[in-house]
Amino acid sequence: MLTAFRWLIRIVTGLIALGVIVTALAYYILSRSLVDYDEDFTVAGITAPVEIVRNNDNVPHIFGKTDKDVFFALGFAHAQDRLWQMTMLRRTAQGRLSEIFGQSTVKVDELMRRYDLYGLALESVKAQDPETLAALEAYSAGVNAWIEEVNKGARGRGAPEFFLFEPEISAWAPADSIAILKLMALQLSSALQTEVLRARVSLLLSPERLADILPDDPGQAIAALPDYASLVPGVVPSSKPVEFAEGPFSPVAEPGMAGASNAWAASPARSAAGGSLLANDPHLDLTAPTIWYLARLELTSGGVIGGTIPGVPLVLVGRSEKLGWGLTTAYVDDQDVVIEELNPENKEEYKTPEGWAKFESRQSIIKVKDGEPVTVTLRWSRNGPILPGTHYDLGSITPPGHVAAISWTALSGADTSLSGAMAMMRAGGVDEAIEAGRKVIAPAQNVMLADGKGIAMQVMGAIPARDAEHPSQGRLPALGSDARVGFKGVLPYEENPVFRDPASGLLGNTNNKTVDRPFPHHVSFDWGDTQRIQRWLTLMKAREVHTRESFIEAQLDTVNPTARSLLPLIGADLWFTGEAAPEGTPERLRQRALVLLAEWNGEMNEHLPEPLIAEAWLRALQKRLIQDELGAMSENFTHISPVFIERVYRNVGGASVWCDVIQSAAVESCTDIARIALDEALLELTEKYGDNLESWRWGDAHQATHDHPVLGEVPFLKYFVNIRQSTSGGDDTLMRGVTRGEGPEPYQNVHSAGYRGVYDFADPDSSVFIIATGQSGHPLSRHYDDLGELWRRGEYIPMSLDPELAHAAAAGVMVLTPEGQ
């Protein structure tokens, strides 16, 4: 017995020792790809030495003799910190994910091949202006110089992920950067998804009820829409949920989860210090690392600093000495679904107003890891690429004998958007920046601008021109054989909305409606916000003049205007309804919750229980209201629609009919549904968080999910690569944190401001910014998540363009020297 025990101790000791050795060896191998930011390199492709001065937050300040040298160094720095992320973005745009992930990503690859984003990017290279083309070539050379250093220097393959997947890294090319920008356009677009959803819902509801659940904006309905069945006959109504998911790493967003953002500016007259102010926080899906990367470039036009996207040689949001610029999604209706009728005698032809026409067609082969290659036949009509019914659930709104084509402004082989953005980055003022926007095609953005003299907001991006007699005004799919359907080019840039130096001295956008123009000059029927803009207006009116601090305060504001307006409305007959109910009963729990909500100011603070109760109540209420009418399709409405609930409880156009449950004999009132929904929400929360509702915390449910897109679901590894943080805010707060809306953790924060910046032109060096994770994409680096805690707490880091300050605060100085010197 003693001998067996001794052997057991030896075996356990040996296993522990082996585990320590394996862990140490793995750490050594993986740490080889950690970057020494003080290391110097001799490289080909630059004309003179270039300094990459990194501060303690790993923000590179790049100083070179020429602009080409600076862009070379930016490519070098991007590749050092984010090589895996860059290659993933490129593979997604190319439709080549299945080469490393196998069968699970074939559908995504197929969609990308059908859009042909990479082919269009290749064509667009020659459309760039000389300065942009030179920057693209220099940047690509810088990325490739680092890849060469990885290959020859045993630097851990450049990133830990390359040990688990295909280690080959193709040379970077100018088209790769343009393709990533096109991929961003796809991620920020949701007009196609909205068309499909609206078509499906319109087959189940009357026009009046469709106006409730999918309103254009609070003041207008869509009852004038033609019936989809009359536009495209032969589609069978169904309450089956619309499936938009394309699989792992899909760039297709669910409706309501495409791009969003906040941006506002104050003129010198409304600034306490006498200089223009600008704040911006673009909202995207949260990932680890974030898509944003902070950098400063010293160009011949002057220094620029702000947020870049690894893979693109551009400060996309930020400031120079003379100009600040920020972005919000413009919600331009730049996508149309066109239903093409097939020739029954020849399936390679489709019907046009002039007769039958032949599809353009070619084949593409998708290589699949551990599987047979997949051959895809790509087809285009004059309206755009043909997508099978399996994408975007198009099959559910396409009748037999027809196929769906997608018209989209981003599908251009002469896309000069990068040239436009590059010219704006170099602009010396608002006027130059607005003129630079003439070249931008997609993604369409509201660009907030501020210089030393004034402020402006310009919609940059192509707005489709449509026939004034278009049968659905682009809100529903329509038949391509109708001469009124399809894009008729794009509107002149002069028709893009622009707002300059308003009398109020303030400009702001939270994805709210910007113009009220009749079709076809309408910009969009669908907008991304009706709530945050109300809170912003309240905060801006509270002060006669503003400061950097007041703009930061607004950026971090967590008061929920939806809760403040809706809770008194839906609970009007529930507050203070009599004597206290016995302890332990549902009625008593409801009373306790109502007491908390009655005293709550709407602040979505992570430490409070009220935000959790309010969100759960509104979520349960909306589900109760729509489930009997929409059935399983109610799963497509998992985020609270404030406009819909307000229409119901104010009985706008008879909308209170939603409160009556069709299947029951009794006639339920809206008060009944509100009470039942609150009880249901409290029961769900009690089962998860316990009986003491006063101890519930919104932050426990509303955790920011900065998850690694590849390794985030891998057992054990996910604990090292995912970053989870308790956060305040919510779907409709200015400090926005959009909830997942479905699954076992519906309140997780999955879509938020990955970048925040506030720029003060009275004292430019006092400007600040922050990103949501860290600069490095390496999980073993201290810079993988070091900025995340600052971001969570609402803190910032300074953004100075003073070269002396950059050198004085240097935590690492890397010098790139040309070969032969």
Side-chain angles (χ1 to χ4, degrees):
M1 185 70 178
L2 184 59
T3 301
F5 181 71
R6 287 173 177 171
W7 274 106
L8 181 61
I9 292 176
R10 292 169 183 169
I11 292 171
V12 171
T13 303
L15 289 174
I16 292 173
L18 181 61
V20 170
I21 293 171
V22 170
T23 301
L25 181 61
Y27 179 86
Y28 172 77
I29 294 172
L30 297 177
S31 65
R32 295 290 297 166
S33 50
L34 286 170
V35 179
D36 178 358
Y37 297 119
D38 274 314
E39 185 177 5
D40 298 336
F41 296 91
T42 300
V43 295
I46 55 177
T47 61
V50 183
E51 274 190 325
I52 304 176
V53 180
R54 287 179 168 91
N55 64 17
N56 198 51
D57 301 304
N58 195 26
V59 178
H61 293 245
I62 302 176
F63 303 92
K65 181 179 180 181
T66 67
D67 286 358
K68 290 181 65 175
D69 289 350
V70 170
F71 286 117
F72 179 101
L74 178 63
F76 198 84
H78 274 169
Q80 282 186 312
D81 284 319
R82 302 285 188 90
L83 186 59
W84 172 256
Q85 185 182 50
M86 292 168 64
T87 56
M88 281 293 295
L89 290 171
R90 175 172 64 177
R91 278 189 177 274
T92 303
Q94 291 174 329
R96 294 180 54 220
L97 291 170
S98 300
E99 294 177 15
I100 57 176
F101 298 117
Q103 191 66 38
S104 64
T105 56
V106 168
K107 189 178 178 183
V108 176
D109 284 346
E110 180 193 337
L111 177 65
M112 302 311 297
R113 299 289 179 97
R114 293 188 187 280
Y115 276 133
D116 195 25
L117 294 188
Y118 196 76
L120 295 169
L122 284 168
E123 293 179 32
S124 297
V125 171
K126 57 181 178 291
Q128 309 307 312
D129 59 43
E131 292 82 3
T132 302
L133 185 58
L136 286 167
E137 291 172 343
Y139 179 86
S140 298
V143 175
N144 295 331
W146 177 249
I147 294 174
E148 184 179 345
E149 291 293 333
V150 170
N151 290 336
K152 73 181 184 182
R155 296 179 182 273
R157 296 185 177 179
E161 293 90 343
F162 287 114
F163 284 101
L164 303 175
F165 301 100
E166 175 59 54
E168 287 187 17
I169 309 171
S170 303
W172 201 264
D176 300 343
S177 299
I178 298 174
I180 288 176
L181 206 59
K182 284 184 172 290
L183 181 65
M184 294 295 297
L186 179 59
Q187 293 172 329
L188 295 172
S189 300
S190 61
L192 192 164
Q193 297 92 303
T194 301
E195 277 194 41
V196 174
L197 184 61
R198 182 177 285 122
R200 284 285 304 280
V201 175
S202 72
L203 295 172
L204 300 176
L205 300 177
S206 67
E208 293 77 17
R209 300 291 71 84
L210 180 62
D212 297 330
I213 193 66
L214 285 172
D216 293 337
D217 65 67
Q220 297 179 358
I222 54 174
L225 268 177
D227 179 65
Y228 183 62
S230 66
L231 281 175
V232 183
V235 179
V236 179
S238 170
S239 60
K240 180 182 177 182
V242 184
E243 297 289 343
F244 294 112
E246 299 286 333
F249 318 118
S250 172
V252 174
E254 295 282 336
M257 298 291 280
S261 300
N262 296 320
W264 43 82
S267 68
R270 290 297 300 270
S271 167
S276 298
L277 292 163
L278 191 150
N280 182 217
D281 52 298
H283 306 161
L284 292 168
D285 287 341
L286 297 179
T287 60
T290 178
I291 190 66
W292 296 103
Y293 181 92
L294 303 174
R296 176 266 183 81
L297 311 177
E298 189 66 31
L299 303 173
T300 54
S301 57
V304 292
I305 190 167
T308 68
I309 293 176
V312 183
L314 179 70
V315 175
L316 194 61
V317 290
R319 73 170 186 92
S320 63
E321 290 285 1
K322 301 176 181 177
L323 180 72
W325 59 98
L327 306 175
T328 70
T329 298
Y331 276 81
V332 168
D333 185 7
D334 56 5
Q335 293 177 315
D336 272 359
V337 180
V338 180
I339 305 298
E340 308 283 21
E341 181 181 348
L342 297 175
N343 185 348
E345 305 297 326
N346 181 0
K347 300 298 184 183
E348 294 304 312
E349 293 181 341
Y350 65 100
K351 191 174 183 179
T352 74
E354 294 79 30
W356 300 110
K358 190 175 180 62
F359 288 110
E360 294 181 26
S361 181
R362 65 177 173 85
Q363 290 189 328
S364 182
I365 298 175
I366 301 172
K367 297 178 182 179
V368 182
K369 181 183 178 182
D370 300 327
E372 294 296 319
V374 176
T375 301
V376 180
T377 300
L378 311 178
R379 293 192 295 173
W380 292 266
S381 73
R382 67 178 190 167
N383 290 303
I386 305 300
L387 296 188
T390 53
H391 294 298
Y392 298 94
D393 215 354
L394 286 164
S396 66
I397 52 97
T398 306
H402 295 71
V403 293
I406 308 302
S407 297
W408 181 26
T409 55
L411 300 178
S412 167
D415 190 341
T416 53
S417 300
L418 191 56
S419 290
M422 188 74 71
M424 185 177 68
M425 180 181 71
R426 299 174 187 267
V430 167
D431 292 338
E432 285 184 48
I434 290 176
E435 182 60 27
R438 189 177 297 275
K439 295 183 178 181
V440 176
I441 294 177
Q445 298 283 292
N446 298 312
V447 181
M448 192 70 67
L449 300 163
D451 61 17
K453 298 179 180 179
I455 58 176
M457 187 178 78
Q458 169 76 52
V459 174
M460 297 185 184
I463 300 178
R466 294 181 176 89
D467 192 303
E469 301 300 320
H470 191 296
S472 76
Q473 298 183 331
R475 291 185 278 177
L476 289 168
L479 292 171
S481 56
D482 188 330
R484 300 169 297 171
V485 172
F487 292 173
K488 312 301 180 184
V490 298
L491 296 177
Y493 182 62
E494 287 72 20
E495 292 197 28
N496 283 24
V498 59
F499 308 88
R500 302 196 59 170
D501 296 320
S504 67
L506 295 170
L507 280 171
N509 185 261
T510 59
N511 311 118
N512 56 288
K513 186 174 183 177
T514 54
V515 292
D516 192 11
R517 304 193 307 205
F519 179 86
H521 304 282
H522 62 305
V523 178
S524 179
F525 288 104
D526 301 295
W527 304 91
D529 174 58
T530 60
Q531 305 298 303
R532 301 195 317 275
I533 189 62
Q534 301 303 324
R535 180 60 182 169
W536 177 79
L537 287 169
T538 298
L539 292 177
M540 293 299 107
K541 292 175 182 177
R543 296 171 178 262
E544 185 63 32
V545 293
H546 285 271
T547 64
R548 184 194 71 168
E549 284 68 30
S550 72
F551 268 34
I552 290 174
E553 178 186 348
Q555 207 169 60
L556 302 177
D557 186 77
T558 61
V559 172
N560 187 347
T562 298
R564 290 175 65 137
S565 63
L566 289 186
L567 293 184
L569 186 63
I570 66 176
D573 297 326
L574 299 180
W575 315 105
F576 316 114
T577 54
E579 297 180 2
E583 286 292 342
T585 63
E587 291 79 8
R588 179 58 179 160
L589 188 64
R590 186 196 315 144
Q591 289 176 348
R592 288 166 59 196
L594 288 170
V595 168
L596 285 176
L597 293 177
E599 298 174 354
W600 179 48
N601 67 353
E603 185 179 357
M604 303 289 283
N605 186 289
E606 63 181 293
H607 302 294
L608 297 177
E610 291 91 344
L612 184 56
I613 298 169
E615 286 291 307
W617 185 8
L618 290 171
R619 185 169 179 266
L621 175 64
Q622 179 167 291
K623 184 177 180 181
R624 283 270 176 182
L625 291 173
I626 68 176
Q627 197 164 29
D628 55 328
E629 279 87 354
L630 297 182
M633 196 182 289
S634 61
E635 295 177 19
N636 291 119
F637 296 88
T638 56
H639 287 88
I640 297 162
S641 172
V643 177
F644 166 66
I645 294 176
E646 185 170 2
R647 286 175 67 90
V648 171
Y649 276 80
R650 294 193 186 281
N651 195 24
V652 177
S656 64
V657 71
W658 288 90
C659 294
D660 182 35
V661 179
I662 297 173
Q663 290 85 350
S664 71
V667 178
E668 289 83 6
S669 69
C670 289
T671 299
D672 294 333
I673 298 301
R675 183 183 64 254
I676 294 169
L678 179 55
D679 289 346
E680 180 182 326
L682 292 173
L683 177 61
E684 175 189 324
L685 295 176
T686 300
E687 290 175 348
K688 187 161 188 176
Y689 299 105
D691 295 329
N692 187 7
L693 77 171
E694 288 83 1
S695 68
W696 296 345
R697 291 180 70 257
W698 171 236
D700 291 341
H702 194 241
Q703 287 200 344
T705 58
H706 309 278
D707 289 357
H708 193 288
V710 177
L711 305 179
E713 296 297 326
V714 178
F716 183 70
L717 286 181
K718 65 183 180 181
Y719 298 108
F720 293 92
V721 299
N722 292 343
I723 305 168
R724 296 294 177 90
Q725 299 171 315
S726 170
T727 56
S728 300
D731 289 17
D732 295 324
T733 56
L734 287 174
M735 193 175 87
R736 193 165 180 251
V738 179
T739 53
R740 186 180 299 279
E742 59 187 4
E745 300 291 345
Y747 308 110
Q748 284 183 335
N749 178 1
V750 298
H751 187 102
S752 191
Y755 170 96
R756 297 186 189 120
V758 181
Y759 325 133
D760 183 350
F761 283 90
D763 181 12
D765 283 340
S766 72
S767 302
V768 292
F769 56 15
I770 196 68
I771 59 173
T773 58
Q775 290 282 85
S776 175
H778 199 306
L780 296 181
S781 170
R782 74 179 182 90
H783 297 299
Y784 184 68
D785 61 357
D786 58 335
L787 297 179
E789 184 59 26
L790 298 177
W791 174 85
R792 190 194 76 80
R793 296 199 305 259
E795 298 180 16
Y796 299 76
I797 60 176
M799 49 187 309
S800 172
L801 287 172
D802 186 334
E804 293 185 4
L805 285 178
H807 284 88
V813 179
M814 182 176 292
V815 178
L816 308 182
T817 304
E819 284 186 347
Q821 288 192 15

